[in-house]
Amino acid sequence: MLNPIDLDAVITGGQIHGSVPGQIHEGVPWWVAACFVTVTRTGALAVAHDGRSATGRLHHSFLQGAINAHHFACEVADAGATDETGLLHAMSALGGIPGALITTSGDGPHTVTIRLYGADGRQVQEDTGLAAIRAMIAADRVPIPVNATCKGRIVALADLVGADR
């Protein structure tokens, strides 16, 4: 694994959490997203962030990981900047799909938190996916697309909510 992290320290307590720079770098959300899509075996995912500059780069990395997850061709609804309520509403409006929210706190070295949600709107825990995600990353088994036709796509949430699904 290039640029490894302390997985036990970062993926803990029902979330992915750590300082940027330091514990979390731009590869981490990519790895987590690709593994999350694979663990949930989903073809659709909603992703949001808190709108702070530090989360923008990590949000983009998460989107790229999700669309590049193995052969799932995941359609990722980019909910942009919103809070947990907005993300959960988007997940429900899109038919009950999994989701992720990336937030930060602090003014210096930021503390980043990535929360993953199942299709039921509950936060993913150790036994519902985090342990599997950690194990995939630790074993350097982050899924990548088999070929270009297996790659997913990113769609603005507004385009999906307005569309007939």
Side-chain angles (χ1 to χ4, degrees):
M1 172 189 330
L2 293 176
N3 205 0
I5 61 168
D6 182 348
L7 292 167
D8 292 329
V10 172
I11 302 177
T12 185
Q15 60 194 5
I16 297 85
H17 183 79
S19 63
V20 175
Q23 294 175 304
I24 294 180
H25 53 76
E26 289 186 36
V28 174
W30 200 105
W31 302 339
V32 169
C35 293
F36 184 49
V37 168
T38 302
V39 166
T40 59
R41 305 185 65 77
T42 189
L45 181 69
V47 182
H49 64 100
D50 65 8
R52 294 185 180 179
S53 62
T55 58
R57 293 183 318 277
L58 300 176
H59 174 78
H60 177 74
S61 179
F62 195 98
L63 295 172
Q64 292 303 309
I67 66 170
N68 281 291
H70 206 39
H71 60 276
F72 287 94
C74 188
E75 181 175 83
V76 181
D78 182 355
T82 191
D83 59 10
E84 183 181 46
T85 301
L87 173 67
L88 294 173
H89 176 73
M91 292 165 52
S92 177
L94 293 171
I97 62 172
L101 178 64
I102 304 167
T103 61
T104 68
S105 61
D107 295 322
H110 296 281
T111 299
V112 173
T113 302
I114 302 172
R115 290 184 185 85
L116 306 175
Y117 300 86
D120 61 1
R122 293 184 189 171
Q123 196 169 330
V124 174
Q125 300 296 319
E126 281 294 308
D127 61 342
T128 58
L130 284 182
I133 291 168
R134 184 185 309 102
M136 290 174 75
I137 295 170
D140 204 14
R141 297 282 187 206
V142 176
I144 58 173
V146 177
N147 61 49
T149 62
C150 296
K151 188 173 182 175
R153 67 188 185 115
I154 301 167
V155 182
L157 176 65
D159 292 341
L160 290 175
V161 172
D164 233 9
R165 285 184 68 80

